[in-house]
């Protein structure tokens, strides 16, 4: 699960366009499931670290089973 880039306005705008969820305003506690990112979107962690870290300019791009304009398969958690 990854956090939304709340403090990076340009990147956050790209994320919001990608997830295409009308009326959703991410909070500091909002998260998106890692299944919405490609394996290449994560930093390689030599030594086998279990913590996944996104590369700096990554935008969610994987939305299985839905056209680009739908948001039914997107998993977002607000804590």
């Amino acid at each position: 699960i990854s956090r939304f880039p709340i403090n990076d306005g340009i990147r956050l705008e790209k994320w919001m366009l990608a997830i295409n969820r009308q009326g959703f305003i991410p909070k500091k506690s909002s998260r998106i499931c890692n299944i919405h990112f490609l394996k290449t979107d994560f930093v390689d962690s030599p030594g086998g670290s279990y913590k996944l870290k996104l590369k700096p300019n990554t935008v969610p791009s994987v939305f299985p089973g839905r056209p680009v304009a739908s948001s039914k398969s997107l998993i977002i958690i607000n804590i």
Side-chain angles (χ1 to χ4, degrees):
I1 294 180
S2 298
R3 294 179 185 201
F4 280 77
I6 300 296
N7 297 324
D8 184 344
I10 294 170
R11 191 166 159 220
L12 179 60
E13 185 176 340
K14 291 178 182 179
W15 280 43
M16 297 306 292
L17 288 171
I19 66 170
N20 193 26
R21 212 159 150 193
Q22 297 290 0
F24 173 69
I25 300 171
K27 300 183 237 176
K28 187 176 180 180
S29 59
S30 297
R31 306 286 191 269
I32 184 170
C33 184
N34 288 337
I35 65 169
H36 298 292
F37 298 93
L38 300 170
K39 288 182 181 181
T40 56
D41 290 337
F42 295 95
V43 175
D44 289 329
S45 53
S49 173
Y50 292 103
K51 185 172 182 177
L52 295 174
K53 183 177 179 184
L54 291 171
K55 291 179 180 176
N57 294 314
T58 299
V59 174
S61 61
V62 179
F63 301 95
R66 75 159 170 110
V68 175
S70 174
S71 62
K72 291 182 181 177
S73 71
L74 184 64
I75 301 169
I76 297 176
I77 300 170
N78 280 316
I79 301 173

